[in-house]
Amino acid sequence: DLYGTSKTLLHNSTRRNVKVSHSRLPRGTMVVFVIKKSNDDQFLYEASVQETNDDLIAGLARVWNKRLRLGLLVGAIRELSKYGPMKPQDEAGIDTLKEQYEGAAMEKSEHYQADPAGVRTGNGPGPQLAETLERVCSDAEAALSANLVKQRTPVSMDLLDDKLANMQGAVMMAYPMGLPAWDTVALALAGDEGLDGTQASAELMDPETATLWVASRDFQRGQKVGDRLGWNEKTKVVAKLQKTGSGPPAREPVVSEEERKAMMAHYFKRQEDLKKLAEASDDDYLASSWADPKAMKKSLQGTGAIKAPGLRL
């Protein structure tokens, strides 16, 4: 039956997922690309210097697009687990308002939970299946995390396909009769075309026309990776994928956001210190610890932190 088939699919894909997510590809035999969209959105990809740039870019574009699909599905399936399938567009609206002002009779299941956005029916699959949906979402989210770059774990289509299979199996278990054709989850599970009308659709890359850039120079199609990076397989580069005609990507800022904040905090503190010094009297420094001739003795005796009553420091 459909339920048994979907359960077997989820079980098998989970088993494959364990092997993939915990495996480590051989190091030192491939060029490692850090494909960076932002500090929070990046992934590792491995290729050989003998690989053609066309194959490299096409492979990267497919991984990029699959990651976009998974990212959209993570959010959509979580909404599905809470509020159930999507309503038809002409029936969308907050249930309480439709009942109060339109006299609509809303179908409410045992696990009904009203969708505050009014987009979904509110008839979720129930706690147990919702937990399964959340588990596959968390698993897919981990495969999209930028932490994989720190862990030196490359991303492959096999890995992403396993996450997608997990999601598909979990959705089939939760809704064995299927989801409405207009539901975002059903559309995204069907293919990249399901992203039409979403923000993710604007970020999809065409494998045939996308461009790859490293250090403000692109990878020329018709050449090999080695023609651009040299023939040493033990190479690691930070690269960016762009749509055709976009030109070279903007340069990375020399100072990161965290460093900028730390510098601003240091500058502000310095300004405050200078302001206090300007307002202090000429002999105010005598109360400072560095002006105490007995500071070393007090430090050795452990009495340095003892202050005289009424002494202003």
Side-chain angles (χ1 to χ4, degrees), residues 248-310:
R251 289 182 176 273
E252 288 286 318
V254 178
V255 179
S256 68
E257 183 64 19
E258 291 75 14
E259 291 172 333
R260 187 189 69 82
K261 290 180 180 178
M263 291 171 62
M264 291 298 294
H266 175 76
Y267 175 78
F268 179 77
K269 184 177 182 301
R270 178 62 177 165
Q271 289 291 96
E272 291 295 310
D273 290 342
L274 291 175
K275 184 178 179 181
K276 290 179 181 179
L277 285 174
E279 296 174 351
S281 59
D282 293 340
D283 60 351
D284 203 41
Y285 74 92
L286 295 175
S288 302
S289 59
W290 54 265
D292 186 357
K294 298 180 180 180
M296 180 177 290
K297 179 180 178 181
K298 291 179 180 179
S299 176
L300 294 173
Q301 292 177 341
T303 60
I306 300 176
K307 307 295 182 182

CSV table of all heavy atoms in Angstrom, one decimal, residues 248-310:
chain,number,residue,atom,x,y,z
A,248,PRO,N,31.7,40.2,-12.7
A,248,PRO,CA,32.4,39.7,-11.5
A,248,PRO,C,31.7,40.1,-10.2
A,248,PRO,O,31.1,41.2,-10.1
A,248,PRO,CB,33.8,40.4,-11.5
A,248,PRO,CG,33.6,41.6,-12.3
A,248,PRO,CD,32.5,41.3,-13.3
A,249,PRO,N,31.6,39.2,-9.2
A,249,PRO,CA,30.9,39.5,-8.0
A,249,PRO,C,31.7,40.6,-7.2
A,249,PRO,O,32.9,40.8,-7.4
A,249,PRO,CB,31.0,38.2,-7.2
A,249,PRO,CG,32.1,37.4,-7.8
A,249,PRO,CD,32.2,37.9,-9.2
A,250,ALA,N,31.0,41.2,-6.3
A,250,ALA,CA,31.6,42.3,-5.4
A,250,ALA,C,32.7,41.6,-4.6
A,250,ALA,O,32.5,40.5,-4.1
A,250,ALA,CB,30.5,42.9,-4.6
A,251,ARG,N,33.7,42.4,-4.3
A,251,ARG,CA,34.8,41.9,-3.5
A,251,ARG,C,34.3,41.7,-2.0
A,251,ARG,O,33.5,42.4,-1.6
A,251,ARG,CB,36.0,42.9,-3.5
A,251,ARG,CG,36.7,42.9,-4.9
A,251,ARG,CD,37.9,43.8,-4.8
A,251,ARG,NE,38.7,43.8,-6.0
A,251,ARG,CZ,39.7,42.9,-6.2
A,251,ARG,NH1,40.0,42.0,-5.3
A,251,ARG,NH2,40.4,42.9,-7.4
A,252,GLU,N,34.9,40.7,-1.4
A,252,GLU,CA,34.6,40.5,0.0
A,252,GLU,C,35.2,41.7,0.8
A,252,GLU,O,36.3,42.2,0.6
A,252,GLU,CB,35.3,39.2,0.5
A,252,GLU,CG,34.7,38.0,0.0
A,252,GLU,CD,33.4,37.7,0.6
A,252,GLU,OE1,33.3,37.8,1.9
A,252,GLU,OE2,32.4,37.3,-0.1
A,253,PRO,N,34.4,42.1,1.8
A,253,PRO,CA,34.9,43.2,2.7
A,253,PRO,C,36.2,42.8,3.4
A,253,PRO,O,36.3,41.6,3.9
A,253,PRO,CB,33.8,43.5,3.7
A,253,PRO,CG,33.0,42.2,3.6
A,253,PRO,CD,33.1,41.7,2.3
A,254,VAL,N,37.2,43.7,3.6
A,254,VAL,CA,38.4,43.3,4.2
A,254,VAL,C,38.2,43.0,5.7
A,254,VAL,O,38.8,42.1,6.3
A,254,VAL,CB,39.4,44.5,4.1
A,254,VAL,CG1,40.7,44.2,4.8
A,254,VAL,CG2,39.7,44.8,2.6
A,255,VAL,N,37.2,43.7,6.3
A,255,VAL,CA,36.9,43.5,7.7
A,255,VAL,C,35.5,42.9,7.8
A,255,VAL,O,34.6,43.4,7.2
A,255,VAL,CB,37.0,44.9,8.5
A,255,VAL,CG1,36.6,44.7,9.9
A,255,VAL,CG2,38.3,45.5,8.3
A,256,SER,N,35.4,41.8,8.6
A,256,SER,CA,34.1,41.2,8.7
A,256,SER,C,33.2,42.0,9.6
A,256,SER,O,33.7,43.0,10.3
A,256,SER,CB,34.3,39.8,9.4
A,256,SER,OG,34.8,39.9,10.7
A,257,GLU,N,31.9,41.7,9.7
A,257,GLU,CA,31.0,42.4,10.5
A,257,GLU,C,31.3,42.3,11.9
A,257,GLU,O,31.2,43.3,12.7
A,257,GLU,CB,29.6,41.9,10.2
A,257,GLU,CG,28.5,42.6,10.9
A,257,GLU,CD,28.3,44.1,10.5
A,257,GLU,OE1,28.8,44.4,9.4
A,257,GLU,OE2,27.7,44.9,11.2
A,258,GLU,N,31.8,41.1,12.4
A,258,GLU,CA,32.1,41.0,13.8
A,258,GLU,C,33.4,41.8,14.2
A,258,GLU,O,33.4,42.5,15.2
A,258,GLU,CB,32.4,39.5,14.1
A,258,GLU,CG,31.2,38.6,14.1
A,258,GLU,CD,30.8,38.3,12.7
A,258,GLU,OE1,31.5,38.6,11.7
A,258,GLU,OE2,29.6,37.8,12.5
A,259,GLU,N,34.3,41.8,13.3
A,259,GLU,CA,35.5,42.6,13.5
A,259,GLU,C,35.2,44.1,13.5
A,259,GLU,O,35.7,44.9,14.3
A,259,GLU,CB,36.6,42.3,12.4
A,259,GLU,CG,37.2,40.9,12.5
A,259,GLU,CD,38.1,40.6,11.4
A,259,GLU,OE1,37.8,41.1,10.3
A,259,GLU,OE2,39.0,39.8,11.5
A,260,ARG,N,34.3,44.5,12.6
A,260,ARG,CA,33.9,45.9,12.5
A,260,ARG,C,33.2,46.4,13.8
A,260,ARG,O,33.5,47.5,14.3
A,260,ARG,CB,32.9,46.2,11.3
A,260,ARG,CG,32.6,47.6,11.1
A,260,ARG,CD,31.5,47.7,10.0
A,260,ARG,NE,30.2,47.3,10.6
A,260,ARG,CZ,29.4,48.0,11.4
A,260,ARG,NH1,29.8,49.2,11.7
A,260,ARG,NH2,28.3,47.5,11.8
A,261,LYS,N,32.4,45.5,14.4
A,261,LYS,CA,31.7,45.8,15.6
A,261,LYS,C,32.7,45.9,16.8
A,261,LYS,O,32.6,46.8,17.6
A,261,LYS,CB,30.6,44.8,15.9
A,261,LYS,CG,29.4,44.8,15.0
A,261,LYS,CD,28.4,43.7,15.4
A,261,LYS,CE,27.2,43.8,14.5
A,261,LYS,NZ,26.2,42.7,14.8
A,262,ALA,N,33.7,45.0,16.8
A,262,ALA,CA,34.7,45.1,17.8
A,262,ALA,C,35.5,46.3,17.7
A,262,ALA,O,35.9,46.9,18.7
A,262,ALA,CB,35.6,43.8,17.7
A,263,MET,N,35.9,46.7,16.5
A,263,MET,CA,36.6,48.0,16.3
A,263,MET,C,35.8,49.2,16.7
A,263,MET,O,36.4,50.1,17.4
A,263,MET,CB,37.0,48.1,14.8
A,263,MET,CG,38.1,47.0,14.4
A,263,MET,SD,38.3,47.1,12.6
A,263,MET,CE,39.0,48.7,12.3
A,264,MET,N,34.5,49.2,16.4
A,264,MET,CA,33.7,50.3,16.8
A,264,MET,C,33.6,50.4,18.3
A,264,MET,O,33.6,51.5,18.9
A,264,MET,CB,32.3,50.2,16.2
A,264,MET,CG,32.3,50.4,14.7
A,264,MET,SD,32.8,52.1,14.2
A,264,MET,CE,31.5,53.1,14.9
A,265,ALA,N,33.5,49.2,19.0
A,265,ALA,CA,33.4,49.2,20.4
A,265,ALA,C,34.7,49.7,21.1
A,265,ALA,O,34.7,50.5,22.1
A,265,ALA,CB,33.1,47.8,20.9
A,266,HIS,N,35.8,49.3,20.5
A,266,HIS,CA,37.1,49.7,21.0
A,266,HIS,C,37.3,51.2,20.8
A,266,HIS,O,37.8,52.0,21.7
A,266,HIS,CB,38.2,49.0,20.3
A,266,HIS,CG,39.6,49.5,20.7
A,266,HIS,ND1,40.2,49.1,21.9
A,266,HIS,CD2,40.5,50.3,20.0
A,266,HIS,CE1,41.4,49.7,21.9
A,266,HIS,NE2,41.6,50.4,20.8
A,267,TYR,N,36.9,51.7,19.6
A,267,TYR,CA,37.0,53.2,19.4
A,267,TYR,C,36.1,54.0,20.3
A,267,TYR,O,36.5,55.0,20.9
A,267,TYR,CB,36.6,53.4,17.9
A,267,TYR,CG,36.5,54.9,17.6
A,267,TYR,CD1,37.7,55.6,17.3
A,267,TYR,CD2,35.3,55.6,17.5
A,267,TYR,CE1,37.7,57.0,17.0
A,267,TYR,CE2,35.3,56.9,17.1
A,267,TYR,CZ,36.4,57.6,16.9
A,267,TYR,OH,36.4,58.9,16.6
A,268,PHE,N,34.9,53.5,20.6
A,268,PHE,CA,34.0,54.2,21.5
A,268,PHE,C,34.6,54.2,22.9
A,268,PHE,O,34.5,55.3,23.6
A,268,PHE,CB,32.6,53.5,21.5
A,268,PHE,CG,31.6,54.2,22.4
A,268,PHE,CD1,31.0,55.3,22.1
A,268,PHE,CD2,31.4,53.6,23.7
A,268,PHE,CE1,30.1,55.9,23.0
A,268,PHE,CE2,30.5,54.2,24.5
A,268,PHE,CZ,29.8,55.3,24.2
A,269,LYS,N,35.1,53.1,23.3
A,269,LYS,CA,35.7,53.0,24.7
A,269,LYS,C,36.9,54.0,24.8
A,269,LYS,O,37.1,54.7,25.8
A,269,LYS,CB,36.1,51.6,25.0
A,269,LYS,CG,36.7,51.4,26.4
A,269,LYS,CD,37.0,50.0,26.7
A,269,LYS,CE,37.5,49.7,28.1
A,269,LYS,NZ,38.7,50.5,28.4
A,270,ARG,N,37.7,54.0,23.7
A,270,ARG,CA,38.9,54.9,23.7
A,270,ARG,C,38.4,56.4,23.8
A,270,ARG,O,39.0,57.2,24.5
A,270,ARG,CB,39.7,54.7,22.4
A,270,ARG,CG,40.9,55.6,22.2
A,270,ARG,CD,41.9,55.4,23.3
A,270,ARG,NE,43.1,56.2,23.1
A,270,ARG,CZ,44.0,56.4,24.0
A,270,ARG,NH1,43.9,55.9,25.3
A,270,ARG,NH2,45.1,57.1,23.8
A,271,GLN,N,37.4,56.7,23.1
A,271,GLN,CA,36.9,58.1,23.1
A,271,GLN,C,36.4,58.4,24.5
A,271,GLN,O,36.6,59.6,25.0
A,271,GLN,CB,35.7,58.2,22.1
A,271,GLN,CG,36.1,58.2,20.6
A,271,GLN,CD,36.9,59.4,20.3
A,271,GLN,OE1,38.2,59.4,20.3
A,271,GLN,NE2,36.3,60.5,19.9
A,272,GLU,N,35.7,57.5,25.2
A,272,GLU,CA,35.2,57.7,26.5
A,272,GLU,C,36.4,57.9,27.5
A,272,GLU,O,36.4,58.8,28.4
A,272,GLU,CB,34.4,56.6,27.0
A,272,GLU,CG,33.0,56.5,26.3
A,272,GLU,CD,32.2,57.7,26.6
A,272,GLU,OE1,32.0,58.0,27.8
A,272,GLU,OE2,31.7,58.3,25.6
A,273,ASP,N,37.5,57.1,27.3
A,273,ASP,CA,38.6,57.3,28.2
A,273,ASP,C,39.3,58.6,28.0
A,273,ASP,O,39.7,59.3,29.0
A,273,ASP,CB,39.6,56.1,27.9
A,273,ASP,CG,39.1,54.8,28.3
A,273,ASP,OD1,38.2,54.8,29.2
A,273,ASP,OD2,39.7,53.7,27.9
A,274,LEU,N,39.4,59.0,26.7
A,274,LEU,CA,40.0,60.3,26.5
A,274,LEU,C,39.2,61.5,27.0
A,274,LEU,O,39.8,62.5,27.5
A,274,LEU,CB,40.2,60.5,25.0
A,274,LEU,CG,41.3,59.6,24.3
A,274,LEU,CD1,41.3,59.8,22.8
A,274,LEU,CD2,42.7,59.9,24.8
A,275,LYS,N,37.9,61.3,27.0
A,275,LYS,CA,37.0,62.3,27.5
A,275,LYS,C,37.2,62.5,29.0
A,275,LYS,O,37.2,63.6,29.6
A,275,LYS,CB,35.6,62.0,27.1
A,275,LYS,CG,34.5,63.0,27.6
A,275,LYS,CD,33.2,62.6,27.1
A,275,LYS,CE,32.1,63.7,27.6
A,275,LYS,NZ,30.7,63.3,27.2
A,276,LYS,N,37.3,61.3,29.7
A,276,LYS,CA,37.5,61.3,31.1
A,276,LYS,C,38.8,61.9,31.5
A,276,LYS,O,38.9,62.7,32.5
A,276,LYS,CB,37.4,59.9,31.7
A,276,LYS,CG,36.0,59.3,31.6
A,276,LYS,CD,36.0,57.9,32.2
A,276,LYS,CE,34.6,57.3,32.1
A,276,LYS,NZ,34.6,55.9,32.6
A,277,LEU,N,39.9,61.6,30.7
A,277,LEU,CA,41.2,62.2,31.0
A,277,LEU,C,41.2,63.7,30.8
A,277,LEU,O,41.8,64.4,31.6
A,277,LEU,CB,42.2,61.6,30.1
A,277,LEU,CG,42.6,60.1,30.4
A,277,LEU,CD1,43.6,59.6,29.3
A,277,LEU,CD2,43.4,60.1,31.7
A,278,ALA,N,40.4,64.2,29.8
A,278,ALA,CA,40.4,65.6,29.6
A,278,ALA,C,39.7,66.3,30.7
A,278,ALA,O,40.0,67.5,31.1
A,278,ALA,CB,39.7,65.9,28.3
A,279,GLU,N,38.7,65.7,31.4
A,279,GLU,CA,38.0,66.3,32.5
A,279,GLU,C,38.6,66.1,33.8
A,279,GLU,O,38.3,66.7,34.8
A,279,GLU,CB,36.6,65.7,32.5
A,279,GLU,CG,35.7,66.0,31.3
A,279,GLU,CD,34.4,65.2,31.3
A,279,GLU,OE1,34.2,64.3,32.2
A,279,GLU,OE2,33.5,65.5,30.4
A,280,ALA,N,39.6,65.2,33.9
A,280,ALA,CA,40.2,64.9,35.2
A,280,ALA,C,41.2,66.0,35.6
A,280,ALA,O,41.7,66.8,34.7
A,280,ALA,CB,41.0,63.6,35.1
A,281,SER,N,41.4,66.2,36.9
A,281,SER,CA,42.4,67.2,37.4
A,281,SER,C,43.8,66.6,37.1
A,281,SER,O,44.1,65.5,36.9
A,281,SER,CB,42.2,67.4,38.9
A,281,SER,OG,42.3,66.2,39.6
A,282,ASP,N,44.8,67.6,37.3
A,282,ASP,CA,46.2,67.2,37.0
A,282,ASP,C,46.7,66.1,37.8
A,282,ASP,O,47.6,65.3,37.4
A,282,ASP,CB,47.1,68.5,37.1
A,282,ASP,CG,46.7,69.5,36.0
A,282,ASP,OD1,46.1,69.1,35.0
A,282,ASP,OD2,47.1,70.7,36.2
A,283,ASP,N,46.3,66.1,39.1
A,283,ASP,CA,46.9,65.1,40.0
A,283,ASP,C,46.0,63.9,40.2
A,283,ASP,O,46.1,63.1,41.1
A,283,ASP,CB,47.2,65.7,41.4
A,283,ASP,CG,45.9,66.3,42.0
A,283,ASP,OD1,44.9,66.3,41.3
A,283,ASP,OD2,46.0,66.7,43.2
A,284,ASP,N,45.0,63.8,39.3
A,284,ASP,CA,44.0,62.7,39.4
A,284,ASP,C,44.7,61.3,39.2
A,284,ASP,O,44.2,60.3,39.7
A,284,ASP,CB,42.9,62.9,38.4
A,284,ASP,CG,41.6,62.1,38.9
A,284,ASP,OD1,41.3,62.1,40.1
A,284,ASP,OD2,41.0,61.5,38.0
A,285,TYR,N,45.8,61.3,38.4
A,285,TYR,CA,46.5,60.1,38.1
A,285,TYR,C,47.1,59.4,39.4
A,285,TYR,O,47.3,58.2,39.4
A,285,TYR,CB,47.6,60.3,37.1
A,285,TYR,CG,48.8,61.0,37.7
A,285,TYR,CD1,49.9,60.3,38.2
A,285,TYR,CD2,48.9,62.4,37.7
A,285,TYR,CE1,51.0,60.9,38.7
A,285,TYR,CE2,49.9,63.0,38.3
A,285,TYR,CZ,51.0,62.3,38.8
A,285,TYR,OH,52.1,62.9,39.3
A,286,LEU,N,47.3,60.2,40.5
A,286,LEU,CA,47.9,59.6,41.7
A,286,LEU,C,47.0,58.6,42.3
A,286,LEU,O,47.5,57.7,43.1
A,286,LEU,CB,48.1,60.8,42.7
A,286,LEU,CG,49.1,61.8,42.2
A,286,LEU,CD1,49.2,63.0,43.3
A,286,LEU,CD2,50.5,61.2,42.1
A,287,ALA,N,45.7,58.6,42.0
A,287,ALA,CA,44.8,57.5,42.5
A,287,ALA,C,44.8,56.3,41.7
A,287,ALA,O,44.2,55.3,42.0
A,287,ALA,CB,43.4,58.1,42.6
A,288,SER,N,45.5,56.3,40.5
A,288,SER,CA,45.6,55.1,39.7
A,288,SER,C,46.5,54.1,40.2
A,288,SER,O,47.5,54.4,40.9
A,288,SER,CB,46.0,55.5,38.3
A,288,SER,OG,45.2,56.5,37.7
A,289,SER,N,46.2,52.8,39.9
A,289,SER,CA,47.0,51.7,40.5
A,289,SER,C,48.4,51.7,39.9
A,289,SER,O,49.4,51.4,40.6
A,289,SER,CB,46.3,50.4,40.1
A,289,SER,OG,46.2,50.3,38.7
A,290,TRP,N,48.6,52.2,38.7
A,290,TRP,CA,50.0,52.2,38.1
A,290,TRP,C,50.9,53.3,38.7
A,290,TRP,O,52.1,53.2,38.6
A,290,TRP,CB,49.9,52.4,36.6
A,290,TRP,CG,49.1,53.6,36.1
A,290,TRP,CD1,47.8,53.7,35.8
A,290,TRP,CD2,49.7,55.0,36.0
A,290,TRP,NE1,47.5,55.0,35.4
A,290,TRP,CE2,48.6,55.8,35.6
A,290,TRP,CE3,50.9,55.6,36.2
A,290,TRP,CZ2,48.8,57.1,35.3
A,290,TRP,CZ3,51.1,56.9,36.0
A,290,TRP,CH2,50.0,57.7,35.6
A,291,ALA,N,50.2,54.2,39.5
A,291,ALA,CA,51.0,55.3,40.1
A,291,ALA,C,51.4,54.9,41.6
A,291,ALA,O,52.0,55.7,42.3
A,291,ALA,CB,50.3,56.6,40.1
A,292,ASP,N,51.0,53.8,42.0
A,292,ASP,CA,51.2,53.3,43.4
A,292,ASP,C,52.6,52.7,43.5
A,292,ASP,O,52.8,51.6,42.9
A,292,ASP,CB,50.1,52.4,43.8
A,292,ASP,CG,50.2,52.0,45.3
A,292,ASP,OD1,51.2,52.5,46.0
A,292,ASP,OD2,49.4,51.2,45.8
A,293,PRO,N,53.5,53.2,44.2
A,293,PRO,CA,54.9,52.6,44.3
A,293,PRO,C,54.9,51.3,45.1
A,293,PRO,O,55.8,50.5,45.0
A,293,PRO,CB,55.7,53.7,45.1
A,293,PRO,CG,54.6,54.5,45.9
A,293,PRO,CD,53.4,54.5,45.0
A,294,LYS,N,53.8,51.0,45.8
A,294,LYS,CA,53.7,49.8,46.5
A,294,LYS,C,52.8,48.7,45.8
A,294,LYS,O,52.4,47.8,46.5
A,294,LYS,CB,53.2,50.0,47.9
A,294,LYS,CG,54.1,50.9,48.8
A,294,LYS,CD,53.5,51.1,50.2
A,294,LYS,CE,54.4,52.0,51.0
A,294,LYS,NZ,53.8,52.2,52.4
A,295,ALA,N,52.5,49.0,44.5
A,295,ALA,CA,51.6,48.1,43.8
A,295,ALA,C,52.1,46.7,43.7
A,295,ALA,O,51.4,45.7,43.9
A,295,ALA,CB,51.4,48.6,42.4
A,296,MET,N,53.5,46.5,43.5
A,296,MET,CA,54.0,45.1,43.4
A,296,MET,C,53.9,44.4,44.7
A,296,MET,O,53.5,43.2,44.8
A,296,MET,CB,55.5,45.2,42.9
A,296,MET,CG,56.1,43.8,42.8
A,296,MET,SD,57.8,43.9,42.1
A,296,MET,CE,57.4,44.3,40.4
A,297,LYS,N,54.2,45.1,45.8
A,297,LYS,CA,54.2,44.5,47.1
A,297,LYS,C,52.8,44.1,47.5
A,297,LYS,O,52.5,43.0,48.0
A,297,LYS,CB,54.7,45.5,48.2
A,297,LYS,CG,54.7,45.0,49.6
A,297,LYS,CD,55.2,46.0,50.6
A,297,LYS,CE,55.1,45.5,52.0
A,297,LYS,NZ,55.6,46.5,53.0
A,298,LYS,N,51.8,44.9,47.2
A,298,LYS,CA,50.4,44.6,47.4
A,298,LYS,C,49.9,43.4,46.6
A,298,LYS,O,49.2,42.6,47.1
A,298,LYS,CB,49.5,45.8,47.2
A,298,LYS,CG,49.7,47.0,48.1
A,298,LYS,CD,48.8,48.1,47.8
A,298,LYS,CE,48.9,49.3,48.7
A,298,LYS,NZ,48.1,50.5,48.4
A,299,SER,N,50.4,43.4,45.4
A,299,SER,CA,50.1,42.3,44.5
A,299,SER,C,50.6,41.0,45.0
A,299,SER,O,49.9,39.9,45.0
A,299,SER,CB,50.6,42.5,43.1
A,299,SER,OG,50.3,41.4,42.2
A,300,LEU,N,51.8,41.0,45.5
A,300,LEU,CA,52.4,39.7,46.0
A,300,LEU,C,51.8,39.3,47.3
A,300,LEU,O,51.7,38.1,47.6
A,300,LEU,CB,54.0,39.9,46.2
A,300,LEU,CG,54.8,40.1,44.9
A,300,LEU,CD1,56.2,40.5,45.3
A,300,LEU,CD2,54.7,38.9,44.1
A,301,GLN,N,51.3,40.3,48.1
A,301,GLN,CA,50.7,39.9,49.4
A,301,GLN,C,49.2,39.7,49.2
A,301,GLN,O,48.5,39.3,50.2
A,301,GLN,CB,50.9,41.1,50.4
A,301,GLN,CG,52.3,41.3,50.8
A,301,GLN,CD,52.5,42.5,51.7
A,301,GLN,OE1,51.7,43.4,51.8
A,301,GLN,NE2,53.6,42.5,52.5
A,302,GLY,N,48.7,39.9,48.0
A,302,GLY,CA,47.3,39.7,47.8
A,302,GLY,C,46.4,40.7,48.3
A,302,GLY,O,45.2,40.5,48.6
A,303,THR,N,46.9,41.9,48.5
A,303,THR,CA,46.1,43.0,49.1
A,303,THR,C,45.8,44.1,48.1
A,303,THR,O,45.4,45.2,48.5
A,303,THR,CB,46.8,43.6,50.4
A,303,THR,OG1,48.1,44.1,50.0
A,303,THR,CG2,47.0,42.5,51.4
A,304,GLY,N,46.1,43.8,46.9
A,304,GLY,CA,46.0,44.9,45.8
A,304,GLY,C,44.5,45.3,45.6
A,304,GLY,O,44.3,46.5,45.2
A,305,ALA,N,43.6,44.5,45.9
A,305,ALA,CA,42.2,44.8,45.6
A,305,ALA,C,41.5,45.6,46.8
A,305,ALA,O,40.4,46.0,46.7
A,305,ALA,CB,41.4,43.6,45.4
A,306,ILE,N,42.3,45.7,47.9
A,306,ILE,CA,41.7,46.4,49.1
A,306,ILE,C,41.9,47.9,48.9
A,306,ILE,O,42.9,48.4,48.6
A,306,ILE,CB,42.5,46.0,50.4
A,306,ILE,CG1,42.3,44.5,50.6
A,306,ILE,CG2,41.9,46.7,51.6
A,306,ILE,CD1,43.1,43.9,51.7
A,307,LYS,N,40.8,48.6,49.0
A,307,LYS,CA,40.8,50.1,48.8
A,307,LYS,C,40.5,50.8,50.1
A,307,LYS,O,39.7,50.3,51.0
A,307,LYS,CB,39.7,50.5,47.8
A,307,LYS,CG,39.8,49.7,46.5
A,307,LYS,CD,41.0,50.0,45.7
A,307,LYS,CE,41.0,49.3,44.4
A,307,LYS,NZ,42.3,49.5,43.6
A,308,ALA,N,41.1,51.9,50.3
A,308,ALA,CA,40.9,52.8,51.4
A,308,ALA,C,39.5,53.4,51.4
A,308,ALA,O,39.0,53.8,50.3
A,308,ALA,CB,41.9,53.9,51.6
A,309,PRO,N,38.8,53.4,52.5
A,309,PRO,CA,37.4,54.0,52.5
A,309,PRO,C,37.4,55.4,52.0
A,309,PRO,O,38.3,56.2,52.4
A,309,PRO,CB,37.0,53.9,54.0
A,309,PRO,CG,37.9,52.8,54.6
A,309,PRO,CD,39.2,52.9,53.8
A,310,GLY,N,36.5,55.7,51.1
A,310,GLY,CA,36.3,57.1,50.7
A,310,GLY,C,37.3,57.5,49.6
A,310,GLY,O,37.3,58.6,49.1
